[in-house]
Amino acid sequence: MPNKKSKRWERLKYKYKLSVINETSFDEVWSFRLSQLHVLMFLSALGVVVVVLTILLVAFTGLREFIPGYPDGNMRQMIIVNAIRVDSLEQEVLKRDRYMEALQMVMYGGDTTAFQELKKDSLRMGYDSLQFQLSETENTFRAEIEEQERFNLGVGLENQSDNDYYHFFPPVEGIIVQNLNESERHYGTDIVAKANAKVAAVMDGVVVFTDWTVKTGYVIQIQHANDFLSVYKHNSTLLKKQGDYVRAGEVIAIVGNTGEETTGPHLHFELWRAGNPLNPEDFIQFK
């Protein structure tokens, strides 16, 4: 005997006739044959279509903002802005790391192993003061520079604090429009110059930083002897790369108008010594 499942399946396939009859003449106007299986298939297909249309309506119209937990337009805009800010912060951190590595290369003659060892020793002893020692490479480098500068007559301006004489080459010819003001965190001198004017190194030294920053555009920094550091900002083009040795008066960049903190073609020049800002106008006579 057939089981109950087979009987149910056969019952689903039974066909029924749906007829429309004229009440006056009893003629059959329209008829339609269907089974329970056809009705179930039709309802299933209709349900799938309704679900798909609902998903499309929610996904591609403004109705999706009414769904709990779904971000609205303002929230999505904030997410994009925060993502851009995080990316900018990562870039600034990478630039800072490269700058510190460049300083380590200059101080230790290209070998940063000594820096890591000194750092571990200082942490182990419980203090963070590092006793820097000159490497053999730096001693050789200093000896070569001293030999080259042995008969150099380019001395001029006197530093009254230690009675040493230093000659600073003017970085660019122009007009000073803003002076050094430490209270406003303006640690240099702004000099308006002609478009595409040449920017020169103020002293002999080694380029320790060349890169782009959002606020100051193309920047180049040169480490000089006796703890002097010169900084040149808002350049349009940099002509030297990190690690290059430059002479006083040698062209290193072109005056520009790059970065957010600028209102026209000019050079922002800073002069530092041992981590302290100096007034460039005390050492250099600008035109």
Side-chain angles (χ1 to χ4, degrees), residues 184-251:
E184 296 181 1
R185 303 180 66 86
H186 188 264
Y187 299 109
T189 302
D190 290 342
I191 309 151
V192 173
K194 296 180 180 179
N196 299 324
K198 298 177 181 179
V199 179
V202 296
M203 294 178 67
D204 297 351
V206 177
V207 178
V208 295
F209 179 82
T210 55
D211 211 333
W212 163 274
T213 63
V214 176
K215 293 184 178 181
T216 58
Y218 286 107
V219 180
I220 182 170
Q221 299 182 9
I222 302 177
Q223 180 69 53
H224 310 285
N226 299 314
D227 293 330
F228 282 105
L229 178 73
S230 59
V231 183
Y232 314 77
K233 299 181 178 180
H234 303 302
N235 302 287
S236 62
T237 304
L238 301 181
L239 304 179
K240 299 295 180 180
K241 62 181 182 298
Q242 184 174 306
D244 288 348
Y245 179 78
V246 296
R247 292 283 191 178
E250 185 175 353
V251 178

Side-chain angles (χ1 to χ4, degrees), residues 36-224:
Q36 295 181 7
L37 182 60
H38 291 160
V39 175
L40 292 176
M41 293 176 61
F42 173 77
L43 293 177
S44 300
L46 181 61
V48 172
V49 171
V50 171
V51 171
V52 171
L53 291 177
T54 302
I55 294 174
L56 294 176
L57 186 65
V58 172
F60 296 101
T61 63
L63 293 176
R64 61 179 179 271
E65 297 183 2
F66 296 97
I67 299 177
Y70 194 89
D72 57 6
N74 294 331
M75 185 178 296
R76 289 198 302 273
Q77 185 176 3
M78 291 179 60
I79 292 173
I80 295 174
V81 171
N82 290 333
I84 296 175
R85 289 177 178 175
V86 170
D87 182 70
S88 300
L89 289 174
E90 291 179 351
Q91 295 297 326
E92 291 298 327
V93 170
L94 291 176
K95 292 177 183 178
R96 184 202 62 183
D97 293 342
R98 288 199 298 268
Y99 176 71
M100 296 303 298
E101 290 175 1
L103 290 180
Q104 294 174 16
M105 294 285 286
V106 172
M107 291 188 293
Y108 294 97
D111 184 13
T112 59
T113 304
F115 177 82
Q116 299 297 334
E117 293 177 355
L118 285 172
K119 185 175 181 181
K120 292 180 181 178
D121 293 340
S122 64
L123 293 176
R124 186 166 53 251
M125 296 299 295
Y127 57 87
D128 195 23
S129 60
L130 303 180
Q131 301 296 328
F132 296 102
Q133 297 180 355
L134 298 180
S135 65
E136 182 179 355
T137 305
E138 186 172 356
N139 286 327
T140 304
F141 175 75
R142 288 193 174 191
E144 292 177 357
I145 297 302
E146 290 175 358
E147 183 65 24
Q148 293 173 1
E149 299 295 327
R150 185 176 179 181
F151 302 102
N152 186 6
L153 299 180
V155 296
L157 212 57
E158 179 182 0
N159 187 328
Q160 299 295 336
S161 62
D162 53 11
N163 295 324
D164 288 338
Y165 290 87
Y166 304 107
H167 174 73
F168 294 87
F169 195 90
V172 69
E173 293 185 0
I175 300 174
I176 297 176
V177 295
Q178 188 171 1
N179 309 102
L180 180 141
N181 190 338
E182 295 188 29
S183 62
E184 296 181 1
R185 303 180 66 86
H186 188 264
Y187 299 109
T189 302
D190 290 342
I191 309 151
V192 173
K194 296 180 180 179
N196 299 324
K198 298 177 181 179
V199 179
V202 296
M203 294 178 67
D204 297 351
V206 177
V207 178
V208 295
F209 179 82
T210 55
D211 211 333
W212 163 274
T213 63
V214 176
K215 293 184 178 181
T216 58
Y218 286 107
V219 180
I220 182 170
Q221 299 182 9
I222 302 177
Q223 180 69 53
H224 310 285

